[in-house]
Amino acid sequence: MYKHNSSKWSKHFDFFFLDVVLLEISFYLCYGWRHDWIFLYNINYYRRIGLFLALISICSAMFRESYHGVIRRGYLEEFKNVCLHVLVVEISLIAITFFMKDLYYSREVFTLFFPTGISLCFGGRCLWKNILRRRMVLNKDKRQVLVVANSEKAEKLVREMISNDFFDYDLAGIIFIDAESEKKMVMGYPVLGNLSDKNMEYIHENVVDEVFIHLTPGELIDDKYMDYFLQMGLTIHLDLDGLTGIGGPAYVERFSGRTVITSSMKFASPWQLLIKRLMDIVGGVAGLLITGIACIFVVPALKRADKGPVFFSQIRIGKNGRRFKIYKFRSMYMDAEERKKELMSQNEMQGFMFKMENDPRIIKGIGHFIRDTSIDELPQFWNVLKGDMSLVGTRPPTEEEYEMYEMHHLKRISIKPGITGMWQTSGRSDITDFEEVVKLDTKYITNWSISLDIKILFKTILVVLKKEGSR
């Protein structure tokens, strides 16, 4: 029988429970200090706050995946994670009390709750992690794993398997799947020879719980040995990374009634995507309200400066080649596209984007102003609300740019385009190499999270206010 370690949030139920208990204790201590240690749950208001605190802590940890890799995290990374977790809980509690119009609370309690919650949660997590790590290292009943691999790949494979300080298994030995080899040891572990019936006797005479099989493309293992392993009651791990050559994250799942290995640049949970879409809807509505206010001033100014429509629309390339119409306040003269061909020799970008300082196509006065302040981008909130774009993503290329893309450039359009993104907050027009843009977009996609989107949104506000790279 094999104990399957779930990759879902329930795998870390102990940390969920620990944080809730420690935050409740923190809140009680802060209240007790402020109110002469009267038991807080006798008061209805603080009883409700205690319930909300527990729910918020659990939901925040689930949505942010706060405990992913928690055992391996160092002290500094853990401290940053705890600070963010307590901050989210406290801001949420304050917001709830505000919207409920239940203002009979002590500000001192909430002020003290932040440092107290951080101290107790950080100390509690570190203590519990040390206990778990010690149990893993000192466990005398570790799983005994037999490795079946290519002789040339064996050393690298074993090194990777034992590189984790907290692995909960020992290697019982190594069997080569290819030709005879004279190696007797690999990284201090015995080589049992080549895969044969003789090795089956070794398994019979020694403790072996599981078999890890690493195949490379083109290699096969005789079905009879797989049957032997199963008949012996052993658990088999088939290394699909080696078999398929997929280097990125991958999952085994069911597709159209078949078992497949699915790989992608980034995997996102349904909850994460739902939160991102809700953020887009809220941001889209708020952005359109701001756009309406901006129209009061921008529309008359544009009409006076140049005849023609106030809004500019253009076909752009969205997720994986989908075409959509993007909207902006028009900041250029009507013949801008025709004049672009004449100005290509002055393009300051290395690659498939066009950027030019003091672009003569920009409408004098109002055109420069709305570009410098990024007001020209406001109508794109309509694209966000429609679902063509997201608040945060990658810059959508024009059809002309897209047609010149090479194969590795396509990765940057594997997600919905955004009004802002990592490129826009890392220099925007100050970056002159398109390959650097692709690197930043790739970094955003592979490291995407809700917290990263929030960080980019706040950074975008600062960049716009400072007018950094806004040409």
Side-chain angles (χ1 to χ4, degrees), residues 7-53:
S7 60
K8 299 181 180 179
W9 64 266
S10 56
K11 175 182 177 181
H12 298 296
F13 177 80
D14 49 349
F15 284 97
F16 277 91
F17 180 76
L18 180 66
D19 276 352
V20 168
V21 170
L22 293 176
L23 287 176
E24 293 283 0
I25 292 174
S26 300
F27 197 84
Y28 175 74
L29 291 176
C30 295
Y31 173 76
W33 176 85
R34 177 64 180 80
H35 295 284
D36 298 325
W37 306 102
I38 299 173
F39 189 64
L40 67 99
Y41 293 104
N42 287 331
I43 301 176
N44 288 334
Y45 171 74
Y46 282 102
R47 188 186 300 126
R48 290 199 301 272
I49 286 294
L51 177 61
F52 283 129
L53 187 153

Short mmCIF file of all heavy atoms in Angstrom, two decimals, residues 7-53:
data_model
loop_
_atom_site.label_atom_id
_atom_site.label_comp_id
_atom_site.label_asym_id
_atom_site.label_seq_id
_atom_site.Cartn_x
_atom_site.Cartn_y
_atom_site.Cartn_z
N SER A 7 -1.40 16.99 -3.24
CA SER A 7 -0.81 18.28 -3.56
C SER A 7 -1.79 19.40 -3.26
O SER A 7 -1.51 20.56 -3.52
CB SER A 7 -0.43 18.32 -5.05
OG SER A 7 -1.57 18.12 -5.86
N LYS A 8 -2.97 19.07 -2.70
CA LYS A 8 -3.97 20.07 -2.43
C LYS A 8 -3.72 20.70 -1.06
O LYS A 8 -2.84 20.31 -0.30
CB LYS A 8 -5.37 19.45 -2.49
CG LYS A 8 -5.71 18.86 -3.87
CD LYS A 8 -7.10 18.28 -3.88
CE LYS A 8 -7.44 17.69 -5.25
NZ LYS A 8 -8.79 17.09 -5.29
N TRP A 9 -4.57 21.72 -0.73
CA TRP A 9 -4.38 22.46 0.50
C TRP A 9 -4.48 21.58 1.73
O TRP A 9 -3.88 21.87 2.77
CB TRP A 9 -5.40 23.59 0.57
CG TRP A 9 -6.82 23.14 0.63
CD1 TRP A 9 -7.68 22.97 -0.40
CD2 TRP A 9 -7.56 22.80 1.81
NE1 TRP A 9 -8.90 22.54 0.04
CE2 TRP A 9 -8.86 22.44 1.39
CE3 TRP A 9 -7.26 22.78 3.17
CZ2 TRP A 9 -9.85 22.05 2.29
CZ3 TRP A 9 -8.25 22.39 4.07
CH2 TRP A 9 -9.52 22.04 3.63
N SER A 10 -5.24 20.47 1.66
CA SER A 10 -5.43 19.61 2.82
C SER A 10 -4.12 18.95 3.27
O SER A 10 -4.02 18.48 4.40
CB SER A 10 -6.47 18.54 2.52
OG SER A 10 -6.12 17.78 1.37
N LYS A 11 -3.13 18.94 2.40
CA LYS A 11 -1.83 18.37 2.75
C LYS A 11 -1.20 19.14 3.92
O LYS A 11 -0.46 18.57 4.71
CB LYS A 11 -0.92 18.45 1.52
CG LYS A 11 0.51 18.00 1.76
CD LYS A 11 1.33 18.14 0.50
CE LYS A 11 2.78 17.76 0.73
NZ LYS A 11 3.60 17.91 -0.48
N HIS A 12 -1.52 20.42 4.02
CA HIS A 12 -0.93 21.26 5.07
C HIS A 12 -1.99 21.70 6.08
O HIS A 12 -1.95 22.84 6.55
CB HIS A 12 -0.27 22.49 4.44
CG HIS A 12 0.85 22.16 3.51
ND1 HIS A 12 2.01 21.54 3.93
CD2 HIS A 12 0.99 22.36 2.17
CE1 HIS A 12 2.82 21.38 2.89
NE2 HIS A 12 2.22 21.86 1.82
N PHE A 13 -2.89 20.81 6.40
CA PHE A 13 -3.94 21.14 7.36
C PHE A 13 -3.35 21.57 8.69
O PHE A 13 -3.92 22.43 9.38
CB PHE A 13 -4.87 19.93 7.56
CG PHE A 13 -5.94 20.15 8.58
CD1 PHE A 13 -7.09 20.85 8.25
CD2 PHE A 13 -5.79 19.67 9.88
CE1 PHE A 13 -8.09 21.07 9.20
CE2 PHE A 13 -6.78 19.88 10.83
CZ PHE A 13 -7.93 20.58 10.49
N ASP A 14 -2.21 20.99 9.08
CA ASP A 14 -1.60 21.34 10.36
C ASP A 14 -1.20 22.81 10.41
O ASP A 14 -1.38 23.48 11.44
CB ASP A 14 -0.38 20.45 10.65
CG ASP A 14 0.58 20.36 9.47
OD1 ASP A 14 0.22 20.80 8.37
OD2 ASP A 14 1.69 19.83 9.65
N PHE A 15 -0.69 23.35 9.29
CA PHE A 15 -0.30 24.75 9.27
C PHE A 15 -1.53 25.67 9.23
O PHE A 15 -1.52 26.76 9.81
CB PHE A 15 0.61 25.04 8.09
CG PHE A 15 2.02 24.54 8.29
CD1 PHE A 15 2.41 23.32 7.79
CD2 PHE A 15 2.94 25.29 9.01
CE1 PHE A 15 3.70 22.85 7.98
CE2 PHE A 15 4.23 24.84 9.21
CZ PHE A 15 4.61 23.60 8.69
N PHE A 16 -2.60 25.24 8.54
CA PHE A 16 -3.84 26.00 8.56
C PHE A 16 -4.33 26.14 10.00
O PHE A 16 -4.66 27.25 10.46
CB PHE A 16 -4.93 25.28 7.74
CG PHE A 16 -4.87 25.53 6.27
CD1 PHE A 16 -4.14 24.70 5.44
CD2 PHE A 16 -5.56 26.59 5.70
CE1 PHE A 16 -4.09 24.92 4.07
CE2 PHE A 16 -5.52 26.81 4.34
CZ PHE A 16 -4.79 25.97 3.51
N PHE A 17 -4.38 25.01 10.70
CA PHE A 17 -4.88 24.99 12.07
C PHE A 17 -3.96 25.80 12.99
O PHE A 17 -4.43 26.57 13.84
CB PHE A 17 -4.96 23.54 12.55
CG PHE A 17 -5.46 23.39 13.96
CD1 PHE A 17 -6.82 23.54 14.24
CD2 PHE A 17 -4.58 23.10 14.99
CE1 PHE A 17 -7.28 23.40 15.55
CE2 PHE A 17 -5.04 22.97 16.29
CZ PHE A 17 -6.39 23.11 16.57
N LEU A 18 -2.65 25.65 12.81
CA LEU A 18 -1.68 26.35 13.66
C LEU A 18 -1.83 27.87 13.53
O LEU A 18 -1.86 28.59 14.53
CB LEU A 18 -0.26 25.92 13.27
CG LEU A 18 0.88 26.57 14.05
CD1 LEU A 18 0.83 26.13 15.52
CD2 LEU A 18 2.23 26.20 13.43
N ASP A 19 -1.93 28.36 12.29
CA ASP A 19 -2.06 29.81 12.08
C ASP A 19 -3.35 30.36 12.69
O ASP A 19 -3.35 31.44 13.30
CB ASP A 19 -2.01 30.14 10.59
CG ASP A 19 -0.59 30.25 10.06
OD1 ASP A 19 0.34 30.22 10.89
OD2 ASP A 19 -0.41 30.38 8.84
N VAL A 20 -4.45 29.64 12.51
CA VAL A 20 -5.73 30.09 13.06
C VAL A 20 -5.63 30.20 14.59
O VAL A 20 -6.03 31.21 15.19
CB VAL A 20 -6.88 29.16 12.65
CG1 VAL A 20 -8.14 29.48 13.46
CG2 VAL A 20 -7.17 29.29 11.16
N VAL A 21 -5.11 29.17 15.23
CA VAL A 21 -5.00 29.16 16.69
C VAL A 21 -4.11 30.30 17.18
O VAL A 21 -4.45 31.04 18.11
CB VAL A 21 -4.45 27.81 17.18
CG1 VAL A 21 -4.12 27.87 18.67
CG2 VAL A 21 -5.45 26.70 16.91
N LEU A 22 -2.96 30.48 16.52
CA LEU A 22 -2.02 31.52 16.96
C LEU A 22 -2.56 32.92 16.72
O LEU A 22 -2.33 33.83 17.53
CB LEU A 22 -0.68 31.33 16.24
CG LEU A 22 0.09 30.06 16.63
CD1 LEU A 22 1.35 29.92 15.79
CD2 LEU A 22 0.44 30.07 18.11
N LEU A 23 -3.30 33.11 15.63
CA LEU A 23 -3.90 34.42 15.38
C LEU A 23 -5.02 34.72 16.37
O LEU A 23 -5.18 35.86 16.81
CB LEU A 23 -4.42 34.49 13.94
CG LEU A 23 -3.36 34.58 12.84
CD1 LEU A 23 -3.99 34.54 11.46
CD2 LEU A 23 -2.54 35.87 13.00
N GLU A 24 -5.80 33.69 16.72
CA GLU A 24 -6.84 33.88 17.73
C GLU A 24 -6.21 34.24 19.08
O GLU A 24 -6.70 35.13 19.80
CB GLU A 24 -7.67 32.61 17.87
CG GLU A 24 -8.53 32.26 16.66
CD GLU A 24 -9.79 33.11 16.56
OE1 GLU A 24 -10.00 33.98 17.42
OE2 GLU A 24 -10.55 32.90 15.60
N ILE A 25 -5.11 33.58 19.43
CA ILE A 25 -4.41 33.89 20.68
C ILE A 25 -3.87 35.31 20.63
O ILE A 25 -3.97 36.07 21.61
CB ILE A 25 -3.27 32.88 20.92
CG1 ILE A 25 -3.84 31.48 21.19
CG2 ILE A 25 -2.38 33.33 22.07
CD1 ILE A 25 -2.79 30.40 21.30
N SER A 26 -3.31 35.69 19.49
CA SER A 26 -2.78 37.05 19.33
C SER A 26 -3.87 38.09 19.56
O SER A 26 -3.66 39.09 20.25
CB SER A 26 -2.17 37.21 17.94
OG SER A 26 -1.12 36.30 17.73
N PHE A 27 -5.03 37.83 18.94
CA PHE A 27 -6.13 38.78 19.06
C PHE A 27 -6.61 38.87 20.51
O PHE A 27 -6.92 39.95 21.02
CB PHE A 27 -7.28 38.37 18.14
CG PHE A 27 -8.26 39.48 17.87
CD1 PHE A 27 -8.00 40.41 16.88
CD2 PHE A 27 -9.41 39.59 18.61
CE1 PHE A 27 -8.89 41.44 16.64
CE2 PHE A 27 -10.32 40.61 18.38
CZ PHE A 27 -10.04 41.55 17.38
N TYR A 28 -6.69 37.73 21.17
CA TYR A 28 -7.12 37.71 22.57
C TYR A 28 -6.14 38.46 23.47
O TYR A 28 -6.55 39.23 24.34
CB TYR A 28 -7.28 36.27 23.06
CG TYR A 28 -7.62 36.18 24.53
CD1 TYR A 28 -8.90 36.51 24.97
CD2 TYR A 28 -6.66 35.80 25.46
CE1 TYR A 28 -9.22 36.46 26.32
CE2 TYR A 28 -6.97 35.75 26.81
CZ TYR A 28 -8.24 36.07 27.24
OH TYR A 28 -8.56 36.04 28.57
N LEU A 29 -4.84 38.25 23.23
CA LEU A 29 -3.82 38.93 24.04
C LEU A 29 -3.89 40.45 23.86
O LEU A 29 -3.79 41.21 24.83
CB LEU A 29 -2.42 38.42 23.67
CG LEU A 29 -2.09 36.98 24.06
CD1 LEU A 29 -0.72 36.60 23.53
CD2 LEU A 29 -2.15 36.81 25.58
N CYS A 30 -4.09 40.88 22.62
CA CYS A 30 -4.18 42.31 22.35
C CYS A 30 -5.42 42.92 23.00
O CYS A 30 -5.38 44.01 23.57
CB CYS A 30 -4.19 42.57 20.84
SG CYS A 30 -2.67 42.09 20.01
N TYR A 31 -6.54 42.18 22.90
CA TYR A 31 -7.77 42.66 23.52
C TYR A 31 -7.65 42.68 25.05
O TYR A 31 -8.06 43.63 25.73
CB TYR A 31 -8.94 41.79 23.10
CG TYR A 31 -10.21 42.14 23.85
CD1 TYR A 31 -10.94 43.27 23.52
CD2 TYR A 31 -10.65 41.34 24.91
CE1 TYR A 31 -12.08 43.60 24.22
CE2 TYR A 31 -11.79 41.66 25.63
CZ TYR A 31 -12.50 42.80 25.27
OH TYR A 31 -13.62 43.13 25.97
N GLY A 32 -7.06 41.61 25.58
CA GLY A 32 -6.91 41.54 27.04
C GLY A 32 -6.06 42.66 27.58
O GLY A 32 -6.37 43.24 28.64
N TRP A 33 -4.99 42.98 26.87
CA TRP A 33 -4.12 44.08 27.33
C TRP A 33 -4.87 45.40 27.32
O TRP A 33 -4.70 46.23 28.22
CB TRP A 33 -2.91 44.15 26.41
CG TRP A 33 -2.00 45.31 26.74
CD1 TRP A 33 -1.02 45.36 27.66
CD2 TRP A 33 -2.04 46.61 26.13
NE1 TRP A 33 -0.42 46.59 27.69
CE2 TRP A 33 -1.03 47.38 26.75
CE3 TRP A 33 -2.81 47.19 25.13
CZ2 TRP A 33 -0.79 48.70 26.40
CZ3 TRP A 33 -2.57 48.51 24.78
CH2 TRP A 33 -1.57 49.25 25.41
N ARG A 34 -5.73 45.60 26.32
CA ARG A 34 -6.45 46.86 26.17
C ARG A 34 -7.66 46.95 27.10
O ARG A 34 -8.04 48.03 27.55
CB ARG A 34 -6.90 47.02 24.71
CG ARG A 34 -7.73 48.27 24.43
CD ARG A 34 -6.95 49.53 24.67
NE ARG A 34 -7.74 50.71 24.39
CZ ARG A 34 -8.64 51.24 25.22
NH1 ARG A 34 -8.87 50.67 26.40
NH2 ARG A 34 -9.30 52.34 24.88
N HIS A 35 -8.29 45.81 27.41
CA HIS A 35 -9.55 45.83 28.15
C HIS A 35 -9.48 45.03 29.46
O HIS A 35 -10.45 44.34 29.83
CB HIS A 35 -10.69 45.29 27.28
CG HIS A 35 -10.96 46.17 26.09
ND1 HIS A 35 -11.63 47.36 26.19
CD2 HIS A 35 -10.65 46.02 24.78
CE1 HIS A 35 -11.73 47.93 24.99
NE2 HIS A 35 -11.14 47.13 24.12
N ASP A 36 -8.33 45.08 30.10
CA ASP A 36 -8.18 44.50 31.44
C ASP A 36 -8.53 43.02 31.51
O ASP A 36 -9.12 42.53 32.48
CB ASP A 36 -9.05 45.27 32.45
CG ASP A 36 -8.62 46.73 32.55
OD1 ASP A 36 -7.40 46.98 32.43
OD2 ASP A 36 -9.49 47.59 32.72
N TRP A 37 -8.23 42.30 30.43
CA TRP A 37 -8.30 40.84 30.39
C TRP A 37 -9.71 40.29 30.59
O TRP A 37 -9.91 39.21 31.12
CB TRP A 37 -7.36 40.20 31.41
CG TRP A 37 -5.97 40.70 31.23
CD1 TRP A 37 -5.31 41.62 31.96
CD2 TRP A 37 -5.08 40.32 30.18
NE1 TRP A 37 -4.06 41.85 31.46
CE2 TRP A 37 -3.89 41.06 30.35
CE3 TRP A 37 -5.17 39.44 29.10
CZ2 TRP A 37 -2.80 40.96 29.51
CZ3 TRP A 37 -4.08 39.33 28.25
CH2 TRP A 37 -2.91 40.08 28.46
N ILE A 38 -10.72 41.04 30.14
CA ILE A 38 -12.08 40.52 30.11
C ILE A 38 -12.18 39.53 28.97
O ILE A 38 -11.74 39.80 27.86
CB ILE A 38 -13.10 41.66 29.91
CG1 ILE A 38 -13.01 42.66 31.06
CG2 ILE A 38 -14.53 41.10 29.82
CD1 ILE A 38 -13.85 43.89 30.85
N PHE A 39 -12.77 38.36 29.21
CA PHE A 39 -12.83 37.33 28.17
C PHE A 39 -13.60 37.86 26.95
O PHE A 39 -14.78 38.15 27.04
CB PHE A 39 -13.50 36.07 28.71
CG PHE A 39 -13.40 34.91 27.75
CD1 PHE A 39 -12.16 34.38 27.43
CD2 PHE A 39 -14.53 34.38 27.16
CE1 PHE A 39 -12.06 33.32 26.56
CE2 PHE A 39 -14.43 33.32 26.28
CZ PHE A 39 -13.20 32.78 25.98
N LEU A 40 -12.90 37.99 25.84
CA LEU A 40 -13.44 38.73 24.70
C LEU A 40 -14.66 38.06 24.07
O LEU A 40 -15.49 38.74 23.47
CB LEU A 40 -12.37 38.96 23.64
CG LEU A 40 -11.81 37.75 22.88
CD1 LEU A 40 -12.51 37.64 21.53
CD2 LEU A 40 -10.32 37.89 22.67
N TYR A 41 -14.83 36.75 24.15
CA TYR A 41 -15.94 36.10 23.44
C TYR A 41 -17.27 36.22 24.20
O TYR A 41 -18.27 35.70 23.77
CB TYR A 41 -15.60 34.65 23.12
CG TYR A 41 -14.48 34.58 22.12
CD1 TYR A 41 -13.20 34.26 22.51
CD2 TYR A 41 -14.71 34.91 20.78
CE1 TYR A 41 -12.15 34.24 21.59
CE2 TYR A 41 -13.68 34.90 19.87
CZ TYR A 41 -12.40 34.57 20.26
OH TYR A 41 -11.38 34.55 19.35
N ASN A 42 -17.24 36.93 25.33
CA ASN A 42 -18.50 37.27 25.98
C ASN A 42 -19.15 38.48 25.32
O ASN A 42 -20.29 38.81 25.58
CB ASN A 42 -18.28 37.57 27.47
CG ASN A 42 -18.00 36.30 28.26
OD1 ASN A 42 -18.47 35.23 27.87
ND2 ASN A 42 -17.25 36.41 29.34
N ILE A 43 -18.40 39.16 24.49
CA ILE A 43 -18.90 40.34 23.79
C ILE A 43 -19.17 39.94 22.34
O ILE A 43 -18.29 39.44 21.65
CB ILE A 43 -17.87 41.48 23.84
CG1 ILE A 43 -17.59 41.83 25.31
CG2 ILE A 43 -18.38 42.69 23.07
CD1 ILE A 43 -16.52 42.88 25.48
N ASN A 44 -20.40 40.15 21.90
CA ASN A 44 -20.81 39.70 20.57
C ASN A 44 -19.90 40.21 19.47
O ASN A 44 -19.56 39.47 18.54
CB ASN A 44 -22.26 40.13 20.29
CG ASN A 44 -23.25 39.34 21.12
OD1 ASN A 44 -22.97 38.21 21.51
ND2 ASN A 44 -24.40 39.93 21.39
N TYR A 45 -19.51 41.47 19.55
CA TYR A 45 -18.69 42.04 18.47
C TYR A 45 -17.39 41.27 18.31
O TYR A 45 -17.02 40.87 17.21
CB TYR A 45 -18.40 43.51 18.75
CG TYR A 45 -17.39 44.08 17.78
CD1 TYR A 45 -17.75 44.35 16.46
CD2 TYR A 45 -16.07 44.27 18.17
CE1 TYR A 45 -16.81 44.83 15.57
CE2 TYR A 45 -15.13 44.75 17.28
CZ TYR A 45 -15.51 45.03 15.98
OH TYR A 45 -14.59 45.49 15.09
N TYR A 46 -16.70 41.04 19.43
CA TYR A 46 -15.41 40.36 19.34
C TYR A 46 -15.57 38.87 19.05
O TYR A 46 -14.66 38.23 18.53
CB TYR A 46 -14.60 40.59 20.62
CG TYR A 46 -13.97 41.96 20.65
CD1 TYR A 46 -14.52 42.97 21.40
CD2 TYR A 46 -12.86 42.24 19.87
CE1 TYR A 46 -13.97 44.23 21.42
CE2 TYR A 46 -12.29 43.49 19.88
CZ TYR A 46 -12.84 44.49 20.65
OH TYR A 46 -12.28 45.74 20.64
N ARG A 47 -16.73 38.30 19.37
CA ARG A 47 -16.99 36.92 18.98
C ARG A 47 -17.09 36.82 17.46
O ARG A 47 -16.56 35.90 16.85
CB ARG A 47 -18.27 36.42 19.64
CG ARG A 47 -18.49 34.91 19.42
CD ARG A 47 -19.84 34.46 19.96
NE ARG A 47 -19.94 34.72 21.39
CZ ARG A 47 -20.92 35.41 21.95
NH1 ARG A 47 -21.89 35.92 21.20
NH2 ARG A 47 -20.96 35.60 23.25
N ARG A 48 -17.76 37.80 16.84
CA ARG A 48 -17.86 37.81 15.37
C ARG A 48 -16.49 38.01 14.73
O ARG A 48 -16.15 37.36 13.75
CB ARG A 48 -18.82 38.91 14.92
CG ARG A 48 -20.27 38.67 15.26
CD ARG A 48 -21.18 39.54 14.40
NE ARG A 48 -20.90 40.95 14.58
CZ ARG A 48 -21.45 41.72 15.51
NH1 ARG A 48 -22.31 41.18 16.37
NH2 ARG A 48 -21.17 43.00 15.60
N ILE A 49 -15.71 38.90 15.31
CA ILE A 49 -14.37 39.15 14.77
C ILE A 49 -13.52 37.89 14.83
O ILE A 49 -12.76 37.57 13.91
CB ILE A 49 -13.68 40.30 15.55
CG1 ILE A 49 -14.31 41.63 15.15
CG2 ILE A 49 -12.19 40.34 15.25
CD1 ILE A 49 -14.08 42.03 13.72
N GLY A 50 -13.66 37.14 15.92
CA GLY A 50 -12.90 35.90 16.04
C GLY A 50 -13.27 34.90 14.97
O GLY A 50 -12.41 34.20 14.43
N LEU A 51 -14.56 34.82 14.64
CA LEU A 51 -15.01 33.92 13.59
C LEU A 51 -14.51 34.38 12.23
O LEU A 51 -14.00 33.58 11.44
CB LEU A 51 -16.55 33.85 13.59
CG LEU A 51 -17.18 32.99 12.49
CD1 LEU A 51 -16.74 31.54 12.63
CD2 LEU A 51 -18.71 33.08 12.56
N PHE A 52 -14.62 35.68 11.96
CA PHE A 52 -14.14 36.22 10.70
C PHE A 52 -12.63 36.01 10.56
O PHE A 52 -12.12 35.71 9.47
CB PHE A 52 -14.47 37.71 10.57
CG PHE A 52 -15.90 37.99 10.22
CD1 PHE A 52 -16.64 38.89 10.95
CD2 PHE A 52 -16.48 37.36 9.12
CE1 PHE A 52 -17.96 39.15 10.62
CE2 PHE A 52 -17.80 37.62 8.78
CZ PHE A 52 -18.54 38.51 9.53
N LEU A 53 -11.92 36.17 11.66
CA LEU A 53 -10.46 36.00 11.64
C LEU A 53 -10.09 34.61 11.17
O LEU A 53 -9.20 34.44 10.32
CB LEU A 53 -9.90 36.28 13.04
CG LEU A 53 -8.38 36.33 13.21
CD1 LEU A 53 -8.02 37.22 14.39
CD2 LEU A 53 -7.80 34.94 13.44
#
